[in-house]
Amino acid sequence: MAKRINLQGNQACALGAIAAGCTFYAGYPITPSSEVAEAMARELPKIGGTFIQMEDEIASMGAAIGASMGGLKVMTATSGPGFSLKQENLGYASGAEIPCVIINVMRGGPSTGMPTRPAQGDIMQARWGTHGDHAIIVLTPASVAECYSETVRAFELTERLRVPVVVLIDEVIGHLVETVDLDALKPSRLVTRKFADGPAEGFEPYAVTDDMVPPFPRPGDGYRSHTTGLTHLPSGFPTQNPSKAEAALVRTTDKLDLHADLIEAVEVAECDDADVVIASVGISARAGQAAVADLRSKGVKAGLFRPKTLWPFPEAALKAATKGAKAVVVPEMNQGQMVLEVERLLKNKSVHGLGKIDGEAITPAEIVTRVTEVLA
Amino acid sequence: MDNFEVRFSGSGGQGLILSAKFLSAALMAEGYNVAQSQSYEPVSRGGLSRSDLVVSKGQAAFPLSRGLDYLLILHGAAAHASDGLLSKNSLVLVDSELVPEPPKGDFTLISLPFTDTARKLGNKRVANIVALSALVARAGLCPMAVLENVVRTKTPPKFANLNMEAFEAGQALALQDA
């Protein structure tokens, strides 16, 4: 039975989170992400969940982490200035391997920038915003339906892998309303973290397991555990022993490589015979999709490469999709962030950026013009 | 019509996004897929405000406007903000009082007293409903009964009568002009 509704991207994130089993939200409203908080405030009480409006973004991130350490599926949402504030605690969640989902609806920056205008300026911050080498996963929905389904996937990944997952949305997609079939989006299964169920005696909260994801000790189940942002041993206690410290850190980053098949997700369209591939995310990728159709109608063989998982960057998929292409164009609402990664991976290809930071979305016509220049 | 684009534009606080939501709901009920976007300033009143609908029977690749089939302008602040998206097939409706200098060009322009009609009904804030009703009646975007049902069911009881009067008045305006 189709349940067609007109749904907003931000609201879709909230409904997706609840469908994925999220029962705790702590946040501090900020344009253009506030509708996520509004929807969670409305929906969570209906299922016995907890919504807290905290005093700021730092505390919101802390509260979400604390609730996750209590065993709940948790989420927070914010935009640029708030995302900056969350970075310290986000690093803690990464280091201590505490599952959490962070929605970041990107607006113009830096600082308070342009609150109601779209941007994609947090592409690098989402990967490297917190200090130190750390594991993080970043998903980039490009439609309202994907705001829902990628938030569901964010919960699956964060619970399965104990890595913080950022759902990175631009203001256009966050505030876009599209007709969706809600029933078709409902997840068919619920993924919940692996809780410790072995003997309590000798339990190690950061044990090295085959899947590199330590079973999570649920408070009250009788396991003694120690959680710290300091580099720690399998016992959970700090170490500065060089080989043990390195092994502990490398496990948290290597687990992403081990589970790459689970994490990676891309859309590849019409790249088989493409002379030019447009590589992009979010609303810019939707413009790219329209530009591909326009270019094809003019006889230009164009294709689209769209990471749904932006970080870790889908390296092999990009190389495969651009194998026969003469040029790659990377439209993004910033001065050139994703293009750096594409250049790094495609050293022998002609890679061209298309940046825009005026607070307006990139149009299909602008991409067509850039492609035409590049191929000339 | 399988695909068309509509823009509601004016000044923040005029209820443009609400009008767009009402039309989106009516078009969805008629089987269309709707992409509704909006742009506004970080202020609660004033500034340029607009909401766009990209309507299709299938799935729209790009959900933002590329060329407007229907444009409503309720305030002078938005008079020329959409000039680049107009073509000879465009139908442009403007408020005769608040848009004294409407866009000029090779398209159909209709100037109607939306705000004045609303004021005579007792509240100029329902100019958005007068204009929505007039636009849909004039352009035949969906059956009026479908839109009327949306406006009726989505309006808080306190404003129900006023909004329905505005709806009727907008339809009458469009028919008088035609």
Side-chain angles (χ1 to χ4, degrees), chain B residues 26-27 62 79 88 101 116 128 134 141 165:
Chain B
L27 292 169
F62 189 56
K88 65 176 172 17
E101 289 175 34
D116 193 47
N128 63 331
L141 299 180
E165 286 171 24

Side-chain angles (χ1 to χ4, degrees), chain A residues 4-6 8 35 115-117 171-172 175-179 283 286-287 289-290 294 360-365, chain B residues 21 24-25 27-29 31-42 48 50 59-64 66:
Chain A
R4 277 160 48 88
I5 59 166
N6 287 337
Q8 187 204 48
E35 295 84 359
T116 61
R117 301 289 184 200
E171 183 274 340
V172 175
H175 277 161
L176 185 67
V177 174
E178 288 185 293
T179 308
I283 185 62
R286 295 284 291 272
Q289 188 187 350
D294 292 355
E360 298 283 339
I362 293 172
T363 65
Chain B
K21 280 183 180 168
S24 296
L27 292 169
M28 183 190 71
Y32 284 106
N33 288 318
V34 185
Q36 183 211 333
S37 59
Q38 48 264 307
S39 176
Y40 47 84
E41 310 286 336
L48 182 60
R50 63 172 163 79
Q59 202 65 49
F62 189 56
L64 306 181
R66 303 180 72 183

Side-chain angles (χ1 to χ4, degrees), chain A residues 193-201 203 214-218 221 223:
Chain A
R193 76 191 70 168
K194 183 175 63 182
F195 285 105
D197 61 359
E201 185 69 27
F203 172 75
F216 196 97
R218 191 189 337 239
D221 281 359
Y223 298 99

Side-chain angles (χ1 to χ4, degrees), chain A:
Chain A
M1 205 5 223
K3 187 184 176 191
R4 277 160 48 88
I5 59 166
N6 287 337
L7 184 66
Q8 187 204 48
N10 283 342
Q11 290 168 345
C13 289
L15 297 187
I18 285 171
C22 175
T23 56
F24 184 93
Y25 180 99
Y28 188 78
I30 178 171
T31 301
S33 76
S34 298
E35 295 84 359
V36 182
E38 275 179 29
M40 292 306 270
R42 193 172 55 239
E43 298 298 325
L44 273 174
K46 295 181 190 168
I47 57 160
T50 302
F51 172 92
I52 309 181
Q53 178 168 328
M54 297 297 290
E55 69 268 32
D56 61 27
E57 288 89 347
I58 300 172
S60 313
M61 192 69 215
I65 290 170
S68 181
M69 289 170 75
L72 301 182
K73 293 184 181 179
V74 305
M75 185 167 89
T76 187
T78 192
S79 183
F83 194 50
S84 293
L85 289 169
K86 288 181 191 294
Q87 294 301 330
E88 183 186 8
N89 278 335
L90 183 54
Y92 182 85
S94 183
E97 296 176 88
I98 300 162
C100 53
V101 172
I102 303 100
I103 310 282
N104 175 15
V105 188
M106 290 181 282
R107 67 191 220 182
S111 188
T112 35
M114 290 189 274
T116 61
R117 301 289 184 200
Q120 294 176 312
D122 306 351
I123 282 177
M124 282 298 174
Q125 186 193 23
R127 175 64 193 90
W128 295 114
T130 199
H131 60 278
D133 292 288
H134 62 277
I136 197 158
I137 295 171
V138 180
L139 311 181
T140 43
S143 67
V144 172
E146 273 190 8
C147 284
Y148 187 106
S149 59
E150 290 301 291
T151 302
V152 169
R153 201 162 69 88
F155 274 95
E156 291 176 357
L157 292 171
T158 200
E159 288 286 322
R160 175 73 186 81
L161 301 174
R162 294 186 60 175
V163 175
V165 179
V166 176
V167 181
L168 191 63
I169 306 172
D170 51 78
E171 183 274 340
V172 175
I173 297 296
H175 277 161
L176 185 67
V177 174
E178 288 185 293
T179 308
V180 299
D181 176 0
L182 210 50
D183 283 341
L185 291 170
K186 289 255 154 57
S188 55
R189 52 170 190 167
L190 277 184
V191 176
T192 302
R193 76 191 70 168
K194 183 175 63 182
F195 285 105
D197 61 359
E201 185 69 27
F203 172 75
E204 289 192 319
Y206 293 94
V208 181
T209 52
D210 286 347
D211 66 354
M212 293 197 201
V213 184
F216 196 97
R218 191 189 337 239
D221 281 359
Y223 298 99
R224 299 183 67 169
S225 80
H226 184 260
T227 310
T228 175
L230 292 166
T231 303
H232 44 271
L233 296 163
S235 68
F237 291 103
T239 181
Q240 296 200 44
N241 173 307
S243 62
K244 288 178 179 171
E246 185 176 24
L249 290 168
V250 164
R251 179 184 58 75
T252 65
T253 50
D254 274 3
K255 75 179 168 184
L256 296 192
D257 294 336
L258 183 67
H259 297 283
D261 289 349
L262 196 65
I263 299 166
E264 187 171 297
V266 296
E267 180 195 350
V268 178
E270 307 196 60
C271 286
D272 285 350
D273 66 340
D275 289 327
V276 59
V277 168
I278 296 160
S280 191
V281 296
I283 185 62
S284 303
R286 295 284 291 272
Q289 188 187 350
V292 165
D294 292 355
L295 287 161
R296 290 253 166 197
S297 73
K298 292 178 183 174
V300 179
K301 288 178 183 166
L304 178 74
F305 178 80
R306 178 172 74 85
K308 291 193 214 177
T309 302
L310 177 63
W311 303 111
F313 200 86
E315 302 188 359
L318 174 72
K319 285 178 180 164
T322 55
K323 209 170 168 193
K326 298 186 187 102
V328 178
V329 173
V330 186
E332 51 189 330
M333 281 186 279
N334 57 53
Q335 287 188 309
Q337 298 188 18
M338 184 171 135
V339 69
L340 299 177
E341 187 69 2
V342 175
E343 280 172 355
R344 184 182 74 79
L345 293 166
L346 304 177
K347 287 195 182 66
N348 301 319
K349 291 249 182 249
S350 162
V351 176
H352 307 266
L354 168 54
K356 190 173 182 181
I357 54 166
D358 65 356
E360 298 283 339
I362 293 172
T363 65
E366 286 167 336
I367 298 175
V368 169
T369 302
R370 185 76 177 121
V371 166
T372 310
E373 280 168 16
V374 162
L375 292 180

